[in-house]
Amino acid sequence: MHDSSPLESTGVIDDDRLRLMFICCHPALALEARVALTLRLVGGLTVLEIAHAFLVSESAMGRRITRAKAKIKAAGIPYRVPTAEDLPRRLAGVLAVLFLVYNEGYLATDPDAVPVRADLTTEGIRLARLLHALMPEEGEVTGLLALMLLTEARRTTRVSADGELVPLDEQDRRAWDTALITEGHRLVRERLAAIAACEVPGRYQILAAIGAVHTSARHFRDTDWSQVLALYDQLVAVDPSPVVELNRAIAVAELDGPEAAIAIVDRLENRLHDYHAFHATRAELLRRLGRNQDARAAYEAAIELAGNTAETAILLRRLDRLH
């Protein structure tokens, strides 16, 4: 981006990094392009990490970012501090950037990085808090902050002492951060009140509500899976992505059994064949169905695609326990 005039004001955003995110998320670019470019220029993610977030190859993501830069130059898109009136049009991009930065911190996709990066999760929450203070009436801003807080509450239980990823059903819930859970639940209730007044919830608000259900259960067995599934049904209507459908299938498995879930998962293969979580989820369902040979092949595919050492460790353990 370029502009011959000097920057005379920081506008309505005091924080340098958050301001840069809004500057980079220019509505002249397609949403995916502006998010990818902002993640690279401001978010501090590598091209490989961004590619994993979008489920594309590193080379494809590199070309996408290059094209976005070229469009900015060719169109003369100005590098200007956005006004208060500009913020709503750029908000979707900024929210996506913050969500993906936090996700990369919560579970790194780079095999050479530590599995959990507290620097990224902490920064994501810091920026989300600032954004919430700036735009408190925006439901998706509140939803994203609540989602981050409820996820962050579980971060210290995410990886075991020996470096293995700990799934939700094996985490020590006594070690979850109750202060973050309390704050996250308060924000979710705030959004539920607005939704009851006929507002339509967006993606981050629904994800936060799912997080609230999980963090409300004292034990994994106490999870209200019918409520989780109902929320995923809402999420599919808002965001019909294959990853959302995969996560919905996990709730189906808990509620209706692995046979019902595997039928859903198998329909996603063409769209998620390069996604390790698809193969890992399928492997676990096949194991529960007693189809150990098929489960073994699925675990091996997941291990081949796994993003970090913690994921690889748990997949290897699950593979070893097959007879």
Side-chain angles (χ1 to χ4, degrees):
M1 295 185 182
H2 65 280
D3 187 4
S4 58
S5 60
L7 296 178
E8 298 177 351
S9 169
T10 60
V12 294
I13 307 171
D14 293 330
D15 184 79
D16 290 342
R17 176 166 282 189
L18 187 60
R19 189 185 318 114
L20 282 171
M21 287 183 177
F22 271 100
I23 290 170
C24 290
C25 285
H26 198 286
L29 296 174
L31 180 60
E32 284 195 355
R34 77 183 84 146
V35 170
L37 185 63
T38 307
L39 284 169
R40 185 73 188 104
L41 298 180
V42 187
L45 270 61
T46 66
V47 174
L48 178 62
E49 290 167 342
I50 299 168
H52 284 153
F54 283 88
L55 302 182
V56 300
S57 68
E58 184 177 8
S59 58
M61 181 51 65
R63 290 192 296 271
R64 188 177 299 180
I65 292 172
T66 299
R67 286 196 299 270
K69 290 179 179 178
K71 180 173 182 178
I72 288 169
K73 183 176 181 180
I77 296 173
Y79 184 91
R80 291 199 182 104
V81 176
T83 64
E85 291 72 25
D86 293 326
L87 301 188
R89 291 189 301 160
R90 303 184 184 212
L91 181 60
V94 172
L95 289 173
V97 168
L98 294 179
F99 177 71
L100 292 173
V101 166
Y102 182 88
N103 275 0
E104 182 62 30
Y106 190 65
L107 189 61
T109 56
D110 187 344
D112 296 323
V114 293
V116 176
R117 295 183 55 188
D119 59 321
L120 290 181
T121 64
T122 301
E123 180 65 356
I125 290 174
R126 184 187 75 84
L127 292 171
R129 287 191 185 281
L130 291 174
L131 186 57
H132 184 247
L134 181 68
M135 307 177 78
E137 302 304 316
E138 288 286 347
E140 283 291 78
V141 174
T142 303
L144 180 60
L145 177 57
L147 173 61
M148 286 184 177
L149 294 174
L150 294 173
T151 306
E152 184 71 5
R154 310 193 304 262
R155 178 173 57 80
T156 58
T157 64
R158 183 68 162 155
V159 178
S160 68
D162 56 1
E164 183 178 298
L165 185 69
V166 182
L168 186 61
D169 60 329
E170 297 179 17
Q171 290 177 14
D172 181 1
R173 298 183 178 220
R174 296 168 301 178
W176 286 358
D177 190 318
T178 55
L180 292 179
I181 290 173
T182 299
E183 184 180 1
H185 284 184
R186 178 182 60 77
L187 293 172
V188 169
R189 287 194 299 272
E190 176 185 315
R191 291 312 309 152
L192 288 175
I195 292 165
C198 298
E199 285 191 31
V200 178
R203 177 192 185 202
Y204 302 113
Q205 294 168 76
I206 298 171
L207 284 171
I210 293 170
V213 175
H214 284 302
T215 51
S216 295
R218 291 187 62 186
H219 304 284
F220 182 80
R221 62 179 177 271
D222 299 327
T223 305
D224 187 345
W225 288 106
S226 61
Q227 189 174 3
V228 172
L229 183 57
L231 287 166
Y232 269 116
D233 287 341
Q234 291 186 52
L235 186 57
V236 167
V238 173
D239 179 17
S241 73
V243 173
V244 170
E245 292 181 37
L246 179 67
N247 289 330
R248 178 184 176 276
I250 295 171
V252 169
E254 295 297 332
L255 201 61
D256 300 325
E259 189 169 355
I262 196 69
I264 298 169
V265 171
D266 282 346
R267 291 197 296 268
L268 302 173
E269 184 168 7
N270 287 340
R271 291 183 288 170
L272 294 178
H273 61 89
D274 289 331
Y275 184 39
H276 77 279
F278 163 77
H279 296 284
T281 300
R282 187 168 181 272
E284 189 62 13
L285 293 172
L286 291 168
R287 182 197 65 79
R288 290 172 61 182
L289 288 167
R291 296 167 55 183
N292 286 0
Q293 186 173 350
D294 292 335
R296 181 176 295 276
Y299 275 128
E300 290 172 348
I303 290 165
E304 181 70 22
L305 295 167
N308 61 59
T309 55
E311 288 177 311
T312 301
I314 189 174
L315 290 169
L316 285 170
R317 176 166 68 85
R318 289 180 170 179
L319 177 60
D320 289 342
R321 76 182 178 185
L322 291 176
H323 300 299

